[in-house]
Amino acid sequence: MDIRRTVLWMIFSLSLLLLWNNWQVHNGKPSLFGASSTATQEAAPAQAGAVSADPSIPSAAPAASAVAADTTVPGSGTQAPASTSEKVQVKTDVYNLTFDTQGAQLVKAELVKYSAPGAKDEPMVLLDNSAQSVYMAQTGVVGAPAGQSYPTHLTPFRLVSSDTALAGDTLKVVFEAESGGVKVVKTYTLHKGRYDIDVQHDVYNVGDTAITPSLYLQLARDGNDPSDKSSFYSTFTGPALYSAEEKFQKITFSDIDKGKSGYVKQADNGWIGMVQHYFASAWVPPEGKVRHNEALRLSNNLYAIRSIESVGSIQPGEHVAVDSHLWVGPQDQKAMSELAPGLELVVDYGWLTIIAKPLFKVMTWLHALLGNWGWTIVVLTLLIKLVFYPLSAASYRSMAKMKQVTPRMQALREKFGDDKAKLNAAMMEMYRTEKINPLGGCLPMVVQIPVFISLYWVLLGSVEMRGAPWILWIHDLSVRDPWFILPAFMMATMFLQIKLNPTPPDPTQARIMMIMPLVFGGMMFFFPAGLVLYWCVNNAVSIAQQRYIMHKLDKETAASAR
């Protein structure tokens, strides 16, 4: 059997599969290779700012054992009357935040240490409530008797605190509101240099009878893709949650629309969040208290994920304090893992997590030594190639031997013509005589594929690459090379690698092999520079290793011929 023909067709089939996958992603379909449920929905054309959710839309009824019976959460209206809504600006060293006194909602979050896509001088806007984007953090108290309502995210609040700028290590922003015999004091505690916000709800019973209210924590956002989403690789945008029972789960907007979303509805641990490339927001309710989770469609192109939990019975004149945490910021795996178990999993490597996580740890260790993410990628790739050198050497040695016998293989083809049985028998005899394993050049490379794919996902998902320079013209490793130097270099290395390998005897196969660098190289013109840098270094080292092995084999052949 002509093993090389089979291997070449496998490579060509994989190339077609990759191209089809990218075409599917470009047209809004799920990726074939991403982690489960990684598809994102193409946004509806309606402007987010024009969406006004109907407050009469009920939420799913939670389990009776989890929360009070009447826990319907009002809809998420995006605009409030001017007379009841006032914007409160708050600044820290990492945030420019805007709160709305209607509901004491967090309606805008600018991350001052990260630049906006395509605007280096503007901060990254994560949360927002504008004509272009709707993405807010909301809370409220429900469970009031019929005809009454407790303070929710639609209730007018009053700003109690006076400080609006961080002067020390912490800054407290305090709001209060009273409705239906319940007073709610909502306290946001911001910390210097941190993206986790402590949120405390003090629920006071100022009425004459005992109450059993429930507290909900909610993230509402439109279904639009982030402005920096690429058409050439797939990243997830949408709700996510974590529980000890089912671990990390992602929910696509399209599954919510179709009513097909499956996730843990009730738990006493974990968190809920909204995820996009490089950034995330998440509510972390108190551990050990049963809560009901739900992801739902509020209105056209407006979605929410929320957690509802019972506050317990509160007697007249008493109050209960509920502490929770809100994350609004980059996908900083170290800080997120310290805030809540599993929160770092928003950086989702899918089935390759077992390999990708150690690679990321090695990468961060190298960066601590080198101080430059570009050189970190270079050194990490070199270390991986060094570890796999024995396998690579076996592969290159096999390919070098195959190249040496290529003239003899061509002569056998000419001799036997269309007699495949005699041709295959003669080729197998030649392999035995020359001690060549036809799959020897392929199998060692197959073992390495999961590692290199893992490194691909690590580089693609690491927010550390965003805005990180390398040298000279590369000022941001998370965007494409502005001068296309790295993609051009990668194409050149791919052509050189093909020249170093045995030439396929079939002219059609040879042409296909020559087209592959154009296909993959063309794709790399639109990939982040950090990823292309990794492929360039990998290819360059592979060529050097292959040349060394071939030179060594030539010397051995010459010595044995004497």
Side-chain angles (χ1 to χ4, degrees), residues 408-476:
R408 294 172 58 185
M409 292 174 63
Q410 186 62 36
L412 290 175
R413 288 178 179 276
E414 294 174 357
K415 178 179 179 180
F416 294 104
D418 295 330
D419 193 339
K420 299 295 183 182
K422 290 185 178 180
L423 174 61
N424 288 333
M427 291 179 65
M428 294 305 295
E429 179 63 28
M430 182 184 67
Y431 292 152
R432 283 193 293 269
T433 303
E434 299 296 334
K435 298 180 180 180
I436 297 175
N437 180 0
L439 292 178
C442 180
L443 293 179
M445 303 304 294
V446 171
V447 176
Q448 303 176 52
I449 287 176
V451 175
F452 287 106
I453 294 178
S454 299
L455 183 55
Y456 166 87
W457 284 111
V458 168
L459 296 177
L460 182 63
S462 298
V463 70
E464 289 80 3
M465 300 296 111
R466 197 175 189 275
W470 179 38
I471 57 172
L472 301 176
W473 75 100
I474 301 295
H475 303 295
D476 187 347

Side-chain angles (χ1 to χ4, degrees), residues 43-80:
Q47 285 190 342
V51 173
S52 180
D54 183 359
S56 66
I57 297 175
S59 59
S65 61
V67 292
D70 183 14
T71 55
T72 299
V73 177
S76 298
T78 62
Q79 301 295 334

Side-chain angles (χ1 to χ4, degrees), residues 1-150:
M1 181 178 65
D2 190 346
I3 299 297
R4 288 180 302 166
R5 181 188 293 269
T6 303
V7 171
L8 287 171
W9 276 112
M10 288 173 61
I11 294 173
F12 181 61
S13 300
L14 178 60
S15 304
L16 291 177
L17 186 61
L18 290 171
L19 287 173
W20 172 252
N21 175 69
N22 284 319
W23 174 257
Q24 291 288 87
V25 171
H26 179 72
N27 287 279
K29 300 296 191 303
S31 171
L32 299 174
F33 304 106
S36 59
S37 298
T38 56
T40 58
Q41 177 192 10
E42 288 295 327
Q47 285 190 342
V51 173
S52 180
D54 183 359
S56 66
I57 297 175
S59 59
S65 61
V67 292
D70 183 14
T71 55
T72 299
V73 177
S76 298
T78 62
Q79 301 295 334
S83 59
T84 62
S85 177
E86 178 185 348
K87 301 301 187 291
V88 178
Q89 310 287 336
V90 175
K91 294 186 177 182
T92 73
D93 59 327
V94 297
Y95 282 137
N96 288 333
L97 300 180
T98 301
F99 293 91
D100 192 333
T101 55
Q102 183 197 29
Q105 307 174 70
L106 180 54
V107 297
K108 189 170 186 178
E110 296 180 347
L111 312 181
V112 298
K113 293 187 179 295
Y114 293 87
S115 60
K120 296 291 185 182
D121 299 329
E122 297 293 329
M124 170 68 189
V125 178
L126 186 55
L127 304 187
D128 198 10
N129 184 20
S130 65
Q132 292 75 37
S133 173
V134 175
Y135 188 179
M136 299 176 288
Q138 304 165 327
T139 70
V141 177
V142 292
Q148 298 185 31
S149 65
Y150 296 153

